Amino acid sequence: MAILDDYLDIARPHFSRIPTSELSIATFHDTLPAFNHPRTSASDRRALVERLRPFTIISSMRERTPFPRELLRELPNLRLLLATGTQFETFDLAAATDLGITVVAAPGRGRTDGRISPSARHRPPRPKLDIKKGGNHPATQYTWALILALARNIAADDVVMKGPVKGWQSQPALGLTGLTLGIVGLGRLGAGVARIGSLAFGMRVVCWSENLTREKADLKAEEMGLPPGGGNPLDSSAPTFTVVDKDELFSMADVISLHYVLSERSRAIVGSRELERMKQSALLVNTSRGPLIDDSALFDTLEKGGIRGAALDVFDIEPLPADSPWRSTAWGTQGRSNLIITPHMGYVEEGIMHTWYEETAENVEHWLRGEPLLHRLT
């Protein structure tokens, strides 16, 4: 069995009950380039195949390693592919079915038998959250951490105080009350971010997606425990979540947060046109998927100080290459926009990561005993 992309060595204790005589486990703490990425070389594709080919079972972590048909065909020994989370766009499930590969999920609800790994006894229990009572997805919390870090200059001030200058304040902070929050993609996560903006910071919420209607936005407000109308802190006669067209959102929003599903249609959904419409004082935050934004267009915008700042938790290639121009300390200086980059941490929360591996371990135990597998996708 191979455990892939376990950057922080979280998986190991969850498989400690499985005797090594029954299953040999290899853990990989790095990620090889994606097999189907256009910039992946033939030698990198071969390296990935050679790494994975020996294994009967592969445990994956979210979309860190995609499994397209072309890769699955190269893995004749693979019989069980263990996925985590709830999004499987990077797994070719039809190809897995054709090739006789069983794919199962770890949805984040915990083991069904109530057993936990020894390490879990030292962690607080993971609560069952109700968003109407204030509970949030980890990515929702992380989005707000990035918005606040940008608006309040937290990262910049930290560098000023700790760096060689040993300075004090970097620049005035941006207050959020009364500003307009633009949500691109009003799904569960986008609506969660919108809810916090409205309730906690008194922001007007505008939203857009390709098929979003007033009726759908009103229903999403109700799902969040908000009234469909009258929840706008700046205009009690307006909808709580106001649907606007794409151009209008990018022109009027002070903070824009992306929560769109990546597909061929949505790739580069934020390009030069959208960035040029943004206010120079605006902030852009992406905790969804890197390719939603045209990398080159955003780089040019930030390089010339076209907007106040951006925060990126996701990138086209992950992990972000060491020579990436995003990895620079020049941002926020000499007229450049502020930039915060983080290593795709939106979902990497202790509770959910351990829960996924607990569920994965339970399915491996079922497979070894010949018992029915849980959360099957194929």
Side-chain angles (χ1 to χ4, degrees):
M1 172 178 169
I3 298 174
L4 303 185
D5 312 315
D6 184 13
Y7 303 151
L8 302 176
D9 197 24
I10 296 172
R12 181 170 39 84
H14 298 289
F15 297 90
S16 59
R17 291 193 182 96
I18 300 175
T20 55
S21 58
E22 293 184 18
L23 184 66
S24 174
I25 300 176
T27 302
F28 298 95
H29 303 298
D30 63 335
T31 295
L32 295 181
F35 190 88
N36 55 342
H37 195 282
R39 289 189 236 169
T40 300
S41 66
S43 61
D44 282 338
R45 285 194 291 271
R46 284 195 300 272
L48 181 60
V49 170
E50 289 169 6
R51 171 178 284 189
L52 301 183
R53 182 173 282 158
F55 297 102
T56 307
I57 306 173
I58 294 176
S59 169
S60 64
M61 176 50 63
R62 290 279 300 257
E63 65 287 334
R64 292 176 182 176
T65 296
F67 284 90
R69 180 180 292 269
E70 295 80 6
L71 175 58
L72 292 173
R73 282 175 175 165
E74 298 292 328
L75 307 178
N77 298 314
L78 182 60
R79 301 271 61 88
L80 176 62
L81 179 56
L82 300 137
T84 51
T86 58
Q87 302 294 324
F88 310 106
E89 292 87 355
T90 60
F91 291 74
D92 192 328
L93 299 179
T97 299
D98 294 343
L99 296 167
I101 300 168
T102 300
V103 184
V104 297
R109 297 194 290 265
R111 289 183 66 118
T112 61
D113 59 7
R115 297 173 68 187
I116 59 174
S117 68
S119 65
R121 299 188 183 100
H122 304 291
R123 302 193 309 271
R126 186 164 176 258
K128 303 296 184 183
L129 299 177
D130 182 345
I131 197 163
K132 292 184 179 181
K133 299 177 181 177
N136 295 291
H137 189 280
T140 303
Q141 298 178 36
Y142 200 77
T143 299
W144 272 104
L146 291 179
I147 293 172
L148 291 170
L150 265 182
R152 308 303 304 189
N153 305 319
I154 291 172
D157 285 344
D158 180 71
V159 169
V160 164
M161 293 186 70
K162 293 177 181 174
V165 176
K166 297 293 185 284
W168 194 231
Q169 299 172 355
S170 60
Q171 59 182 308
L174 176 67
L176 297 176
T177 301
L179 299 188
T180 297
L181 173 63
I183 301 294
V184 178
L186 193 69
R188 178 169 57 105
L189 299 183
V193 170
R195 176 181 183 272
I196 293 171
S198 177
L199 290 178
F201 297 103
M203 301 180 77
R204 176 190 183 193
V205 176
V206 297
C207 45
W208 172 85
S209 64
E210 193 69 43
N211 300 307
L212 184 63
T213 64
R214 166 74 184 272
E215 292 73 22
K216 290 179 181 178
D218 288 348
L219 285 173
K220 191 57 69 173
E222 291 179 329
E223 288 176 16
M224 295 294 108
L226 301 174
N232 185 327
L234 303 181
D235 183 358
S236 60
S237 65
T240 300
F241 297 161
T242 301
V243 179
V244 297
D245 66 34
K246 187 182 179 187
D247 286 347
E248 190 177 4
L249 183 144
F250 278 87
S251 298
M252 69 189 301
D254 300 291
V255 179
I256 297 175
S257 187
L258 305 187
H259 303 279
Y260 221 84
V261 175
L262 179 63
S263 67
E264 286 308 311
R265 288 179 61 191
S266 64
R267 190 173 294 272
I269 200 170
V270 179
S272 298
R273 173 188 172 92
E274 291 74 24
L275 294 168
E276 288 168 1
R277 287 180 174 274
M278 291 180 67
K279 301 175 183 178
Q280 191 170 13
S281 59
L283 306 176
L284 177 65
V285 177
N286 188 9
T287 57
S288 185
R289 293 292 182 272
L292 291 173
I293 302 178
D294 181 328
D295 243 17
S296 297
L298 180 59
F299 187 90
D300 291 345
T301 297
L302 300 183
E303 183 70 19
K304 66 186 181 185
I307 60 177
R308 180 184 176 101
L312 307 175
D313 185 46
V314 288
F315 304 89
D316 183 29
I317 297 176
E318 297 182 5
L320 189 65
D323 61 353
S324 168
W326 296 120
R327 293 182 182 264
S328 170
T329 57
W331 297 112
T333 67
Q334 299 180 328
R336 299 179 184 88
S337 303
N338 295 321
L339 175 67
I340 295 174
I341 58 172
T342 54
H344 204 155
M345 291 293 291
Y347 66 88
V348 186
E349 186 178 271
E350 184 176 9
I352 189 62
M353 295 293 286
H354 282 284
T355 299
W356 281 338
Y357 279 125
E358 287 171 0
E359 294 171 326
T360 297
E362 183 178 21
N363 252 332
V364 172
E365 293 163 12
H366 278 228
W367 191 82
L368 291 172
R369 295 194 296 260
E371 297 173 357
L373 296 174
L374 307 168
H375 319 302
R376 289 187 66 139
L377 300 175
T378 66

